Amino acid sequence: MKVGLLFVCLVALIYAVSFSHSSTYDSLSYYKDIEMGNRFDLLHPHHLAFLPLQRVWYRLWQELGYDGRSAYALKVLSLMVSCLAVFAFSVLARRLIKATFAYVITLVSFAFAYLVWSFSTQGEPVPFFVLFTVLSLLVLIDVMAKEPRLKDACLLALVSGVGVLFHQELALVAPFVIFALCLKPRRSQLIATYLVLFGALVALPYLLAGKYLMRAGTTGGLVRWMTDYLHLFRGTQYGTLSNLRLSLIGRGLGGAFLGGMNLKPYLLWGKAKDAGFYLAALPFFLLGAYLLLGLAGALRGCGLRSWKYEDRLLAAFIVVFGAVGIWWGAHNRTFWTPVIVSLLVLVGRGYEWIAQRAKMRSLGTIVGVALVPCLIFGNLFGGILVRHHSYDDRAVVLMELFARAQPPDVVIVHDSRIYRLLDYYGHGLRVYAVVRGGRGKREPFLRMNLEARQAAIEALKSGNRVFVSSDAVGGDDFRKALGLPPDIDFTLESGFAYDDPFTGLTYTMHILRGRS
């Protein structure tokens, strides 16, 4: 316990020192939703309790005299929840990993995994997802180790039910709980108690929210609202059976553990491989060696048939949630949260077995010791600091626009992180996003495109300017791209170029001035 507390204090210090001014696309949208307080935006079915909690937290700061924007307050909340998740993981790891070396390496690998570290200063629900994943495993393993009573079933329902309200994917914990309770005496009472309380904790908030939003007057409407995430990304690369390929496991795990942004120029932008490439790839190589060696130790140490219940539970978590992560999209780090939690603990148990074998102990020590600095510095210089300097509100496009554009002008960009930055830090500018291709022909993107078109027409009619990025129009035929009618006349003024660090591409911000 003391080691865990000391480690959490150290982690909190490192997280705070590397506190990032960068914000993800979703974080920027949440910041604005929190400040606006629109009920339709606050009650998101994918994480129902998350935004209302953030809203309460931000209002509390305001009541205590804080007069700034929501971004800082919400980043502090994420930092606190992330530290709490690290402490909970330290308890889980200590419970299952007795060897000190294996325990320390496991704890460090979790705290400084890119998914945990990078989202510790964002405004997304990932820290809550991490926390409730760890708590679910911790409580479930504790219940499986004894003869559970009704209060244990209630605790399982509380942890897993509240977890679902912060991330829908945690609904998959319920089958694990039911299966575990089936193996215990008085299973009928335990399962009935769990299902009633779990159902009430999950169903009632969704029913009340659906009624409050007046979106779900029918059962079908409620179901559609609850599965809004799937409908929004229908027809995209997310959530398709074609994603279910074993070759994507490495990509998913690599992205969850390491940022790897310093590899982008080599892998995506055609830069010739040099010493920098191999230096950037070293953490990935060591990570793979560490995980494979630990899994080999876990399999060799006991054998599948003699695995303990906790080993089987961890392995089942890896398989089920790993399949979900691949299905939704291997590059989406968030969905790999339960995988890295359970995988690190299982690998740590494998290193316990390795530490007892003289021939393998040295190899395990070398790999573990080498991984720690590579993981920390690889993420610091391959993700955390890169985003800090390139992805925040000091981006070139923002500075140029704030210097040139005035509130009557209109800014139209592609629906990307640049749009969210402008929308949140816009200084009163009228900012609109457009979506090109097939997605732009269906809701809610069709409505976004129509709003941008109407704003451009009104601005040009009034003789004002329209700043439009090249990635939003895909060429220089502005009239066709924006759907401007023939009676709208405009001139093209000198624009400016800007780099997008996420894609590595250079775009042009064109300036159209209307002739009234």
Side-chain angles (χ1 to χ4, degrees):
M1 184 71 74
K2 292 182 179 179
V3 174
L5 286 173
L6 290 174
F7 181 75
V8 169
C9 292
L10 176 63
V11 167
L13 179 62
I14 295 175
Y15 284 177
V17 169
S18 61
F19 195 92
S20 178
H21 293 290
S22 168
S23 294
T24 62
Y25 176 95
D26 287 340
S27 293
L28 290 164
S29 65
Y30 297 152
Y31 298 156
K32 187 171 182 180
D33 293 341
I34 295 303
E35 294 178 11
M36 299 295 291
N38 188 311
R39 62 181 181 177
F40 292 101
D41 295 321
L42 289 178
L43 295 174
H44 193 294
H46 190 52
H47 37 71
L48 188 64
F50 173 64
L51 291 178
L53 176 63
Q54 283 195 317
R55 173 72 174 173
V56 171
W57 175 259
Y58 179 53
R59 290 302 301 270
L60 177 62
W61 275 54
Q62 290 179 315
E63 291 295 327
L64 295 175
Y66 178 72
D67 59 356
R69 302 294 298 273
S70 64
Y72 183 79
L74 301 182
K75 284 173 179 283
V76 171
L77 177 61
S78 291
L79 179 61
M80 294 169 58
V81 175
S82 295
C83 291
L84 186 59
V86 172
F87 176 73
F89 184 83
S90 72
V91 176
L92 174 65
R94 183 78 282 183
R95 171 75 182 270
L96 298 178
I97 304 172
K98 305 305 180 184
T100 302
F101 175 77
Y103 167 70
V104 171
I105 297 298
T106 300
L107 197 52
V108 172
S109 300
F110 172 79
F112 296 105
Y114 189 73
L115 184 148
V116 180
W117 189 358
S118 64
F119 284 102
S120 67
T121 53
Q122 295 294 334
E124 294 205 38
V126 176
F128 290 91
F129 189 13
V130 175
L131 174 62
F132 281 100
T133 298
V134 175
L135 291 177
S136 297
L137 272 172
L138 186 60
V139 175
L140 185 53
I141 287 173
D142 180 65
V143 169
M144 291 174 67
K146 61 184 181 182
E147 183 176 328
R149 293 180 288 180
L150 291 180
K151 68 175 184 179
D152 296 312
C154 293
L155 181 59
L156 281 168
L158 179 64
V159 172
S160 57
V162 174
V164 173
L165 299 180
F166 284 95
H167 204 285
Q168 280 184 341
E169 189 180 356
L170 286 176
L172 294 174
V173 172
F176 288 96
V177 174
I178 295 172
F179 179 78
L181 295 179
C182 282
L183 304 177
K184 301 295 181 180
R186 301 171 59 201
R187 54 180 175 269
S188 298
Q189 289 179 304
L190 293 171
I191 293 174
T193 301
Y194 172 78
L195 288 177
V196 169
L197 186 54
F198 176 80
L201 284 171
V202 176
L204 287 178
Y206 274 100
L207 290 172
L208 291 173
K211 181 177 178 58
Y212 177 65
L213 293 175
M214 299 179 67
R215 284 184 175 179
T218 64
T219 303
L222 178 62
V223 171
R224 182 175 177 84
W225 171 69
M226 292 176 64
T227 58
D228 179 65
Y229 210 63
L230 295 176
H231 292 287
L232 182 64
F233 290 97
R234 185 183 59 200
T236 68
Q237 59 183 324
Y238 299 97
T240 63
L241 294 178
S242 61
N243 286 338
L244 295 176
R245 304 193 304 272
L246 292 178
S247 60
L248 294 177
I249 294 176
R251 179 179 180 181
L253 290 176
F257 281 105
L258 291 160
M261 292 185 64
N262 46 359
L263 281 174
K264 274 190 173 183
Y266 302 99
L267 301 180
L268 302 180
W269 306 335
K271 182 177 179 180
K273 294 181 180 179
D274 53 19
F277 168 80
Y278 297 101
L279 185 63
L282 179 61
F284 289 89
F285 172 78
L286 286 173
L287 173 66
Y290 172 77
L291 295 178
L292 289 175
L293 187 61
L295 287 175
L299 291 171
R300 185 70 182 275
C302 300
L304 287 176
R305 292 184 179 181
S306 57
W307 263 11
K308 296 181 179 180
Y309 67 89
E310 54 263 38
D311 297 312
R312 297 177 185 274
L313 175 63
L314 293 170
F317 256 60
I318 294 170
V319 172
V320 172
F321 286 99
V324 174
I326 298 174
W327 167 74
W328 184 252
H331 57 283
N332 191 319
R333 293 183 174 93
T334 302
F335 284 80
W336 289 82
T337 297
V339 178
I340 68 168
V341 171
S342 47
L343 178 61
L344 282 175
V345 177
L346 186 60
V347 166
R349 288 172 66 82
Y351 271 84
E352 275 193 310
W353 180 84
I354 291 173
Q356 299 170 5
R357 301 295 182 273
K359 294 183 179 180
M360 298 186 64
R361 187 184 304 127
S362 298
L363 177 61
T365 302
I366 292 172
V367 173
V369 171
L371 175 67
V372 169
C374 282
L375 186 70
I376 295 175
F377 290 104
N379 279 330
L380 185 63
F381 296 104
I384 303 296
L385 291 181
V386 176
R387 285 184 173 272
H388 176 78
H389 292 296
S390 302
Y391 281 69
D392 60 13
D393 55 315
R394 296 168 292 183
V396 173
V397 61
L398 270 68
M399 297 300 99
E400 287 281 356
L401 280 171
F402 294 160
R404 297 192 185 199
Q406 301 298 325
D409 298 328
V410 168
V411 179
I412 299 177
V413 294
H414 180 65
D415 183 28
S416 62
R417 196 179 162 282
I418 294 294
Y419 162 65
R420 290 298 180 185
L421 278 169
L422 289 168
D423 190 42
Y424 185 66
Y425 296 107
H427 298 293
L429 291 176
R430 299 165 59 196
V431 183
Y432 297 87
V434 296
V435 177
R436 296 164 52 197
R439 293 182 69 200
K441 297 179 180 179
R442 56 186 177 85
E443 294 292 350
F445 308 111
L446 176 61
R447 184 172 65 255
M448 292 168 53
N449 291 346
L450 293 175
E451 290 175 353
R453 173 179 177 271
Q454 187 60 35
I457 292 174
E458 292 176 358
L460 294 175
K461 276 186 177 181
S462 304
N464 295 318
R465 294 177 298 176
V466 174
F467 290 73
V468 55
S469 63
S470 57
D471 63 333
V473 294
D476 54 6
D477 189 348
F478 304 107
R479 187 175 299 278
K480 179 181 179 180
L482 296 175
L484 302 177
D487 61 323
I488 298 295
D489 196 13
F490 60 87
T491 59
L492 189 63
E493 298 183 351
S494 177
F496 60 89
Y498 65 94
D499 296 326
D500 186 338
F502 185 77
T503 62
L505 300 175
T506 299
Y507 299 111
T508 301
M509 185 64 71
H510 303 283
I511 305 176
L512 284 60
R513 181 180 289 276
R515 292 177 177 174
S516 54

